[in-house]
Amino acid sequence: MGSEKIDTVELGTGGPRVGVQGLGCMGMSFAYGPTDADEARATLERALELGVTLYDTADLYGNGENEKFLGPFLRDHRDEVVLATKFALAIDPAYPNKRVIRNDPPYIRQAVEGSLRRLGVDTIDLYYMHRRAPSVPIEETVGAMAALVAEGKVKHLGLSEVTASELRAAQGVHPIAAVQSEWSLFSRDVENGVVAAAAELGVGFVPYSPLGRGFLTGSFVHAEKELSSDDFRRQQPRFTGDNAAANAALLEPVRALAAAHDATPGQIALAWVQQRAETHGLSVVPIPGTRSRTRIEENTAATRIRLTGDELALLEPIAGKVAGGRYADMTFTSAGRE
Ligand SMILES: NC(=O)c1ccc[n+]([C@@H]2O[C@H](COP(=O)([O-])OP(=O)(O)OC[C@H]3O[C@@H](n4cnc5c(N)ncnc54)[C@H](OP(=O)(O)O)[C@@H]3O)[C@@H](O)[C@H]2O)c1
């Protein structure tokens, strides 16, 4: 399984050419419990062999640790990798457990210097605003990001968790290569607005958490009972209490299609998001996260699965039945601003 290189695609008009599936690196240092650093590093290498070139991190992940972890790999493969990182989610020094959103130009300048230093690179290929602080006009934020392009610190710009109107306003200041927002069989709110705007503007789409944070693979049901005490998913309403069992039951058609394709439920979830985005006319590069070589082989192999119209129809009702929100605190998302 997974010995063949995946295809490539241009991520947004004028954006970087990358493998049609990227790699989410967050879990290698953050959010999903204990990590084996050697296996994580081997996963980075295996992904590259399989044609994965878009590697996704953020300064938030492990408070800089994830960027530092990627540094040695990047230095070995700088020309082969399209490196994406993000700014905006900062720690309030007065309240270390609280996150604040910073989109103001002085903060962006400070953030990019920190990321370049930790990553050990001269240029970030794709620099995202991770979250939007509505108090700062998007034009001001993107203007500051565009200045980094002019200075050669950044090559392409991206936005995470933005609305259609925010994307349009941003595109008026500088070309945006990609929107990165949550999109999966369980999370389809992007289809209500920003997806159509991205397609119209020629902006690429990078679905994050395309495996529903692992839940769509069937590898866990009750986060509180099955995951380690520091796992972020224990705080997510979909994976806790009565919601967890109700949501697990929604995977029945995913399992049935997996059996029909001699595939896994996770592969069906990945094939779905790829095809769904193509239906909207988008260039799409999902970034499933994994820390294991066998799973990167499984995930990249999903790019070769094609679901029929009847099969897609079977999966269509799932998202509307999901119990619980994407996050416990949705104020950190684009929901409500759309
Ligand atoms: N922009 C944003 O606000 C934002 C938010 C969240 C995430 N992200 C980015 O998106 C990336 C992906 O999202 P995500 O990691 O949250 O969720 P995801 O890709 O939906 O799921 C990742 C989880 O699934 C597990 N997994 C992966 N492949 C598997 C397989 N074949 N079989 C069984 N389990 C498998 C992983 O475990 P193992 O690692 O142990 O394999 C991990 O626990 C992140 O790494 C991050 O770069 C961005």
Side-chain angles (χ1 to χ4, degrees):
M1 185 192 275
S3 57
E4 208 183 301
K5 278 206 179 207
I6 60 174
D7 292 339
T8 63
V9 68
E10 185 183 54
L11 183 61
T13 309
R17 179 156 281 277
V18 291
V20 292
Q21 188 182 100
L23 177 60
C25 301
M26 177 180 79
M28 295 179 177
S29 327
F30 183 63
Y32 296 154
T35 298
D36 174 342
D38 292 339
E39 180 62 20
R41 169 66 196 248
T43 303
L44 298 172
E45 301 282 352
R46 185 73 184 118
L48 200 53
E49 286 169 6
L50 293 166
V52 171
T53 53
L54 180 63
Y55 286 68
D56 190 80
T57 181
D59 57 4
L60 171 76
Y61 302 161
N63 199 18
E65 288 305 316
N66 197 232
E67 291 182 328
K68 283 189 205 159
F69 173 73
L70 287 179
F73 169 74
L74 291 170
R75 288 192 284 283
D76 285 353
H77 299 287
R78 188 65 196 97
D79 296 340
E80 300 154 88
V81 168
V82 174
L83 164 68
T85 192
K86 321 182 190 80
F87 72 89
L89 285 167
I91 308 282
D92 182 342
Y95 304 96
N97 292 325
K98 199 177 152 209
R99 282 179 201 161
V100 288
I101 305 176
R102 294 283 305 271
N103 292 170
D104 53 286
Y107 176 78
I108 295 170
R109 186 150 290 280
Q110 178 192 319
V112 77
E113 295 301 342
S115 286
L116 289 167
R117 190 182 63 250
R118 286 185 295 272
L119 290 157
V121 299
D122 299 325
T123 312
I124 293 163
D125 299 310
L126 176 54
Y127 199 40
Y128 289 103
M129 179 190 77
H130 204 162
R131 287 290 184 277
R132 167 99 209 282
S135 57
V136 181
I138 188 90
E139 293 84 352
E140 202 175 297
T141 300
V142 177
M145 294 168 77
L148 302 179
V149 177
E151 290 167 31
K153 293 182 194 291
V154 167
K155 283 194 187 143
H156 301 281
L157 302 185
L159 302 168
S160 177
E161 291 280 353
V162 287
T163 66
S165 58
E166 289 164 356
L167 176 60
R168 285 181 207 287
Q171 182 81 4
V173 177
H174 189 278
I176 302 297
V179 166
Q180 178 179 140
S181 286
E182 186 165 356
W183 197 0
S184 72
L185 277 170
F186 266 26
S187 300
R188 294 180 55 179
D189 39 334
V190 287
E191 292 181 51
N192 297 331
V194 71
V195 155
E200 179 198 317
L201 298 169
V203 174
F205 215 97
V206 175
Y208 80 70
S209 303
L211 292 168
R213 298 184 183 263
F215 192 86
L216 297 172
T217 69
S219 61
F220 75 97
V221 176
H222 293 278
E224 323 95 298
K225 294 181 196 160
E226 297 168 51
L227 303 179
S228 65
S229 59
D230 59 346
D231 196 301
F232 173 68
R233 291 167 291 189
R234 290 165 69 109
Q235 300 167 34
Q236 293 193 283
R238 291 180 172 179
F239 313 135
T240 49
D242 293 343
N243 290 346
N247 290 334
L250 298 176
L251 298 182
E252 187 59 32
V254 185
R255 290 186 201 282
L257 290 186
H261 281 266
D262 194 16
T264 63
Q267 287 180 313
I268 298 300
L270 292 174
W272 178 87
V273 79
Q274 198 104 31
Q275 271 182 251
R276 184 73 198 150
E278 286 166 13
T279 307
H280 286 279
L282 285 165
S283 75
V284 57
V285 182
I287 47 165
T290 184
R291 304 168 280 195
S292 111
R293 282 171 286 181
T294 49
R295 287 178 172 179
I296 192 75
E297 289 171 3
E298 178 185 324
N299 296 348
T300 50
T303 64
R304 291 186 280 279
I305 297 174
R306 295 305 290 182
L307 301 170
T308 66
D310 286 349
E311 290 173 334
L312 292 169
L314 269 179
L315 302 175
E316 190 58 28
I318 293 177
K321 296 181 184 170
V322 174
R326 296 197 281 127
Y327 290 89
D329 180 1
M330 289 294 284
T331 59
F332 276 77
T333 72
S334 56
R337 300 199 311 272
E338 194 74 62

